[in-house]
Amino acid sequence: MSINRLRILLYPFSLIFSSVATLRNLMFNFGFLKSKDYSLPVISVGNITVGGTGKTPLTELIIRHLYNSRKCALLSRGYGRKTRGVIIAGYQSDSRTIGDEPMQIKTKFPNVIVAVSEKRVLGMDELLKGDPCPDVVILDDAFQHRYVKPGLSIVVMDYFRPVWRDLCLPAGNLREPANGINRADIIVVNKCPDDLSPNDAQIIKEKLKFRNRCNIFFTTIKYGKPVPLVECGLSFSEQLKKADNKLLAIAGIGNPEPFFKMTEKFTHHVKRLQFPDHHDFSHNDIIKIEELCHTKNQDITTIVTTEKDAVRFLAFKGLPKALMVKIWYIPIELEFLYDKKSSFERKIDNYVGEN
């Protein structure tokens, strides 16, 4: 069955989903459902589209900007974790206890207080009991979780999946109708081409129909240099040359295609292995990876994966050392187009300073 025909069949269910989401938002807007307000700065980073839009690198950018001047906390649901309830990350935490994205941030920014909770209000209450109490809380993936009221709400949109062309679940990928973006204070259009023209950016602003076009920013993904999962004694290029530039690329993220295409800059001999987003690696997965590295016609000595997948590899108990030394991950960062990073950071500073 074609995708278009399937969408037609699912469209009535999308109308129901859209109506329920609209009604729920109205209930919050008119106070029938309560949003709890807090006396400290609360920044929400979320999206409307299901799947990877680039929330985590934007969250890291905000934390990196505030890290040396404010005591930051991250509050996430901890999607994919094997635990429940409120957990404050500690030295024993890993992706299975707090989720891969919170663990990634805790690894990069050890002094950030990282909490996970299905119910964000309970998570906020626990954070505020802490010593030290955070100066600012960043809510991860919380645009639809409205029981905590953010003072500054940021929505991230994927350039290649514009909301005005999409439908609500299940026929499309929207978590709520596209006009919900007007609850946000800032929109970041991510994964843009490096050479996006100002004219094309203006067209996107018009199509978004966002009430404040001055608060729309455009970013692109920048891939960093490969980092070894554990020290192997070789540079990435040296390790890649050991087996005639053969590479295994592994990704368990929302939209892996850009990552896979990026790996082709290292070599033309790339074998792909894709897992679902937030996939928890099993013993069978590890066996499959080892088999792919040792087939009759090739011996792959280099594995490249995403930063988020690397966190989950490290959480796997009993990962063979012979496999660990083959794994490298690619860190990513956001780069603002049109020299707008300072403008974005000023909006963050103004909000945090005023509150």
Side-chain angles (χ1 to χ4, degrees):
M1 182 180 293
S2 70
I3 294 176
N4 287 337
R5 185 176 297 178
L6 181 61
R7 284 197 170 204
I8 291 171
L9 290 175
L10 292 175
Y11 183 66
F13 299 99
S14 290
L15 291 177
I16 296 171
F17 185 97
S18 175
S19 299
V20 172
T22 298
L23 177 62
R24 179 178 182 271
N25 282 326
L26 287 172
M27 292 179 74
F28 275 107
N29 293 345
F30 289 104
F32 295 105
L33 293 175
K34 300 296 183 182
S35 295
K36 190 170 181 180
D37 208 347
Y38 291 87
S39 59
L40 79 169
V42 178
I43 302 172
S44 167
V45 179
N47 62 11
I48 286 183
T49 309
V50 172
T53 58
K55 298 186 308 296
T56 301
L58 181 64
T59 299
E60 290 181 357
L61 184 145
I62 295 170
I63 291 174
R64 191 176 292 110
H65 177 64
L66 297 172
Y67 193 63
N68 293 323
S69 60
R70 309 282 180 177
K71 187 63 179 177
C72 298
L74 174 81
L75 176 57
S76 171
R77 176 188 172 189
Y79 192 85
R81 65 188 173 118
K82 304 303 178 184
T83 56
R84 296 189 63 82
V86 181
I87 294 177
I88 305 294
Y91 293 110
Q92 301 300 316
S93 298
D94 61 24
S95 65
R96 294 190 171 189
T97 57
I98 63 172
D100 49 15
E101 290 165 347
M103 190 62 213
Q104 177 179 319
I105 289 174
K106 185 64 178 176
T107 302
K108 279 187 170 180
F109 306 99
N111 291 333
V112 169
I113 306 166
V114 174
V116 293
S117 176
E118 299 89 347
K119 297 182 178 180
R120 308 302 169 92
V121 171
L122 296 181
M124 286 293 299
D125 292 345
E126 195 66 26
L127 282 173
L128 296 181
K129 293 177 188 174
D131 183 16
C133 181
D135 299 320
V136 54
V137 176
I138 300 167
L139 302 178
D140 172 54
D141 196 14
F143 191 61
Q144 287 76 33
H145 299 274
R146 298 187 60 184
Y147 289 99
V148 171
K149 185 177 181 180
L152 185 69
S153 183
I154 304 171
V155 164
V156 186
M157 186 190 85
D158 187 335
Y159 168 86
F160 294 101
R161 296 186 292 161
V163 296
W164 62 84
R165 291 182 187 168
D166 213 340
L167 298 170
C168 280
L169 294 164
N173 295 298
L174 297 183
R175 297 175 172 184
E176 61 176 287
N179 61 11
I181 59 171
N182 281 297
R183 293 201 315 278
D185 300 294
I186 295 172
I187 293 178
V188 175
V189 182
N190 191 29
K191 303 184 182 180
C192 298
D194 291 346
D195 57 354
L196 182 70
S197 71
N199 184 59
D200 287 341
Q202 185 60 35
I203 291 172
I204 292 172
K205 288 183 177 183
E206 292 170 1
K207 288 186 175 181
L208 276 172
K209 298 179 180 178
F210 187 52
R211 54 183 169 76
N212 189 349
R213 292 181 186 175
C214 293
N215 282 2
I216 300 178
F217 294 87
F218 296 86
T219 58
T220 187
I221 293 288
K222 288 296 181 183
Y223 292 96
K225 294 181 179 179
V227 178
L229 189 69
V230 294
E231 186 53 53
C232 61
L234 295 173
S235 69
F236 179 76
S237 59
E238 289 171 338
Q239 185 161 326
L240 192 56
K241 287 178 182 177
K242 282 176 61 178
D244 299 324
N245 294 322
K246 294 183 177 69
L247 181 70
L248 175 62
I250 301 175
I253 56 177
N255 180 21
E257 189 59 29
F259 169 77
F260 284 135
K261 284 192 174 297
M262 180 277 304
T263 62
E264 293 173 359
K265 76 177 185 179
F266 300 125
T267 174
H268 295 298
H269 306 289
V270 178
K271 183 183 287 291
R272 298 181 177 189
L273 181 58
Q274 182 176 341
F275 292 100
D277 195 14
H278 302 285
H279 180 71
D280 186 27
F281 294 115
S282 67
H283 285 282
N284 287 338
D285 295 328
I286 301 304
I287 291 171
K288 182 177 181 180
I289 292 168
E290 289 181 311
E291 289 175 347
L292 287 172
C293 289
H294 302 288
T295 62
K296 291 182 179 179
N297 298 323
Q298 61 184 4
D299 184 17
I300 296 176
T301 61
T302 309
I303 298 170
V304 171
T305 191
T306 71
E307 201 167 9
K308 193 163 72 170
D309 288 297
V311 169
R312 282 182 267 118
F313 272 121
L314 288 171
F316 184 87
K317 305 303 180 185
L319 187 68
K321 289 185 179 179
L323 188 62
M324 291 179 72
V325 296
K326 296 179 180 181
I327 300 174
W328 297 66
Y329 65 89
I330 311 294
I332 61 173
E333 290 187 8
L334 292 193
E335 183 175 283
F336 281 79
L337 301 184
Y338 317 123
D339 295 322
K340 291 293 185 180
K341 182 180 179 182
S342 296
S343 177
F344 177 83
E345 290 175 341
R346 276 197 302 272
K347 291 183 184 298
I348 300 294
D349 289 337
N350 290 341
Y351 163 67
V352 172
E354 292 169 2
N355 291 273

